[in-house]
Amino acid sequence: GQPTILGAGVDSEDAFLGVLWYEPERFGDFELRVQWRSFSPFANGGIFMRAPEPSGNLFQAGGFYDTALEVQIDERGFDPDSGAAGSQSHKTGSLYSRLPANRSCTRATSPRDGRPGFWNEFRIRIQGSMIEVRLNDEVVCQGTHGASLATGVIGLQCHTEVVQYRNLRIKRL
């Protein structure tokens, strides 16, 4: 049968941030595979790991965004602090604001006219203090992640435009 597709964000560059997370379990060392696609160069989303359960003001110091690891989806590499695009620390495959993406491996933006589109796959491996991010089978980011939590929730970010996710699979290490 056809896999379930979860669409995050809306068809707008001004969507409000949100987080969809898996509540029943916390994960520490694992390999996560997830397929995703976007429909605009302005699409922005991400995969959260070793994150606290989202609650209250997600942006407060020591809160969700400050604590969580996020593998970014943003072809522009938009840096909100400088207001400029092109930041390797904010580009697809980077560990947001922690480790840069060393290359671009994203398939083309998908069409909106009903054609199947182009699915990308992240394979994210976290073991101890190390992370490796593969995008479409190419290593795009690796190093020491600096997470403050040894375990946490897995989540999907809804930000701007539309990002769809499917086939999430996780294996504990």
Side-chain angles (χ1 to χ4, degrees):
Q2 190 69 281
T4 301
I5 297 171
L6 175 61
V10 294
D11 186 8
S12 167
E13 294 175 28
D14 299 317
F16 189 74
L17 281 169
V19 179
L20 304 169
W21 74 96
Y22 182 71
E23 186 177 21
E25 294 182 62
R26 304 295 185 261
F27 298 92
D29 292 348
F30 58 86
E31 182 173 288
L32 174 68
R33 290 183 180 212
V34 58
Q35 293 179 328
W36 62 272
R37 69 179 174 184
S38 62
F39 301 88
S40 164
F42 293 95
N44 183 323
I47 314 299
F48 292 115
M49 300 144 306
R50 289 196 180 176
E53 188 170 307
S55 65
N57 179 352
L58 300 183
F59 298 100
Q60 71 188 17
F64 182 84
Y65 276 99
D66 205 24
T67 307
L69 299 177
E70 178 190 355
V71 173
Q72 178 70 340
I73 298 171
D74 180 357
E75 286 303 290
R76 296 176 307 142
F78 182 76
D79 180 349
D81 293 329
S82 70
S87 168
Q88 292 303 106
S89 293
H90 298 87
K91 190 161 180 55
T92 299
S94 68
L95 189 59
Y96 190 86
S97 290
R98 295 175 188 247
L99 291 171
N102 61 20
R103 67 178 79 188
S104 296
C105 298
T106 304
R107 295 188 175 110
T109 301
S110 292
R112 290 191 191 270
D113 62 7
R115 289 178 286 161
F118 308 97
W119 288 95
N120 297 279
E121 183 177 68
F122 277 138
R123 187 168 39 166
I124 303 163
R125 183 181 180 91
I126 294 182
Q127 195 159 21
S129 64
M130 301 302 292
I131 187 169
E132 179 182 87
V133 179
R134 290 180 172 268
L135 175 55
N136 299 324
D137 253 352
E138 298 287 334
V139 175
V140 296
C141 180
Q142 62 184 4
T144 303
H145 54 67
S148 58
L149 298 177
T151 65
V153 299
I154 301 287
L156 305 175
Q157 183 188 50
C158 314
H159 197 174
T160 55
E161 259 293 334
V162 175
V163 176
Q164 291 182 330
Y165 303 92
R166 72 175 186 185
N167 295 334
L168 282 80
R169 300 161 306 226
I170 192 163
K171 175 175 77 172
R172 292 182 189 278
L173 300 177

